[in-house]
Amino acid sequence: MPSEPLDDLGVRLTPHGGQLKVWSASATSIELCVFDDKDINWVAQSLPLTRGDGDVWSVTTPLLQAGTRYSIRASGPTGPGHSFDPALHLIDPYARGLVRAGNGEWRGYVQEEDTFDWGDSVKPGIPLDHTVLYEAHAKGLTKLNPAVPEELRGTYAGLAHPSTIEYLKDLGVTTIELLPIHAFVSEQRLIKQGLINYWGYNTLNFFTPHALYASRDAQFGGTGAVLREFKGMVKLLHEAGLEVVLDVVYNHTAEEGPKGPTSSFRGIDNKNYYRQTPDGQYVDTTGCGNSLNTATPAVQRLILDSLKYWANDLQVDGFRFDLAAELGRDAGHEFQPEHPLLLAIRDDPDLQSAKIIAEPWDVGMGGWQVGNFPGVPSPSGRGWSEWNDGYRDRMRDFWLTDIAAARGAGVAPNGIGSLARRLAGSAHVFSQERGPLASVNFITAHDGFTMADLTAYNQKHNLGNGENNRDGSDNNHSFNHGVEGPSDKPEIVDARRKAMRNLLGTLLLSAGIPMLTAGDEFGRTQRGNNNAYCHDSELTWLPWEHDEWQEDLLAVSRQLIAFRRENPALRPVRYGKWGETVPSATQMDWFNKQGQAMDEEDWNSPEERTLQYLAASTPEFEEFNRILLIVHGLEDDVDVILPAHEGVAGYSLLWDSALEEHTDPLVDYLPGSTRSVSGASMQLFRAHGAQ
């Protein structure tokens, strides 16, 4: 296949020396600066790049070799849309390593040839219907773990330590989704406030792992040692059967607004890298000061090349795309479901094994695009899946704000129908062709309240962020159960813990792909801060010493994940169709508390918030399975008649959310028998009988 102008951008080592290729349509000249081996601020030599086809500039020189530290400088026109400054040392957008030079400047670093030994490590290839995502921070997950050697806590190596792996395997999650680990810096505003960007959504470079997440030895060993530690982490997690998905930020960069720091793209070709109006004003659809212009082919190629580097050279298993609606905006800044970049990410042969997950919104006009991303997710992970914020909000409402309203007004504002639709895979949001695996279900994420805080706070408590409590969402769908913050009142404590069990149960027993936020499995709190992006402290690090109730909740989380794994009826691949048997779907039957088929009043009446959900798998690759889930969304206890259904001979109780611990009484319940269901709780049964 003939090469294209945009092939092999960045530095490639050749028999004739290193070749540097940089894209810029607007520059009039670009030069390579090579720095002295001992003085990173001393330009030992500079060489001009030559403009070639496709506005690609290049130079080949023996000066570019493994270990070389380099920058580029660019000159070009002035006027609207341009921001050239030939005095600035800029990062090559494709740099495979970075070195800090001081004064806010960075140098690219030429990596040595890849000799990392992956051994027998292979990607686990977890099918989407078996996937349980675990969203975690690369530092915060292990920073306080006493089982990890102190020098490895909060590092890539700490993530791959046997104690971390044992915890994740014991919990039962399949896929760790790491908050951004691309090299990033803190925003100028935070630095002036004495704060930092802890979450990492402020990318400096798309090809380099964040060095501060490496162990001290690796940091002193240089950028190559950092890269090796990252690869070693992936290798060990893969050997344990765990996948690694990266949260990636291709919608904006650390250069912020027009007056922000110029480190790379702005100085190379501001007019084409960033979205702008004709008069040079930034079009900011991210709320972060700038938006990468994915209508530019070179920007599309940059993002694809970065993804392929991480997926193939570094062997990661997939990506969650921050503010992904921005990636699908065209030259007129309108979202297009068939945008070339979205299709390329889905269809590129080098990304076919990667899980691709969209945060399907941004902050621009028409930015909410849930359900509109292209492709059909399959069990092997091909096609777009999407964060389902409607699922998040409805489940919170059902178990929290509806309960609060019922206490005050005597009746809940909503019936059970909207919960049922989402429990069954959100077919009202995603097309029949895409199916339930298009939905990534979540109750919480890194931004917002933790699950414990959802049950303990009505209002955000973000004063520590330095913005007078203005930042963070005011629409939390939470309920403090009568006291704002910690409480030692037994009735409040018990109600909060049951609410957490209900939220976890709903998440892990719903059709779709569940995402559990690290720490929710044992009730971690951030003391009511719902936007803790700027806190690198024990507020955001996972505690590894737990109270007894937290150990009980952790046991429930393990149990629920195991139920999901063991019961295919809980994780359909496809939506069912009325009157048809669809392979790898779920046959769903809905009953009210009397054990009768649901009617319209049952679905919609706020007084009838009790549902029996009988789900039978339609086997394609696994054994036949049928479960019964009872959901009761009022605080008064209720008697429920278990449904009689053809082929069901009995029901075994697996779990009752009203109980902190479940002991199996080894009792089967006959269809038509009566079960007492505690107020605001769930019960899960396995149904026995013929298919």
Side-chain angles (χ1 to χ4, degrees), residues 159-220:
L159 270 168
H161 187 267
S163 67
T164 312
I165 290 174
E166 181 183 6
Y167 177 81
L168 296 172
K169 295 291 288 184
D170 185 54
L171 179 58
V173 296
T174 66
T175 307
I176 185 166
E177 180 182 307
L178 293 176
L179 267 65
I181 55 81
H182 287 173
F184 66 89
V185 294
S186 295
E187 293 88 339
Q188 300 299 299
R189 174 184 57 81
L190 288 178
I191 294 171
K192 291 175 182 177
Q193 291 178 277
L195 299 170
I196 69 163
N197 187 320
Y198 171 67
W199 287 348
Y201 292 90
N202 202 45
T203 307
L204 184 69
N205 174 267
F206 296 125
F207 290 85
T208 307
H210 193 61
L212 295 181
Y213 293 160
S215 64
R216 186 174 178 84
D217 285 349
Q219 291 182 47
F220 277 114

Side-chain angles (χ1 to χ4, degrees), residues 235-301:
K235 177 181 178 180
L236 290 172
L237 290 170
H238 281 177
E239 289 175 351
L242 293 165
E243 293 182 316
V244 181
V245 166
L246 302 183
D247 193 335
V248 288
V249 188
Y250 294 113
N251 56 77
H252 75 281
T253 76
E255 292 185 304
E256 303 182 37
K259 295 183 179 179
T262 296
S263 57
S264 183
F265 303 100
R266 180 179 291 127
I268 296 170
D269 194 340
N270 184 56
K271 190 175 184 67
N272 287 292
Y273 272 114
Y274 292 119
R275 295 189 180 279
Q276 300 176 42
T277 62
D279 61 356
Q281 300 297 310
Y282 273 18
V283 176
D284 181 8
T285 63
T286 67
C288 300
N290 67 65
S291 302
L292 275 177
N293 187 5
T294 56
T296 302
V299 174
Q300 298 173 20
R301 181 62 182 270

Side-chain angles (χ1 to χ4, degrees), residues 133-146:
L133 296 165
Y134 186 76
E135 188 197 48
H137 189 282
K139 177 178 181 179
L141 180 60
T142 65
K143 182 62 177 175
L144 297 177
N145 187 354

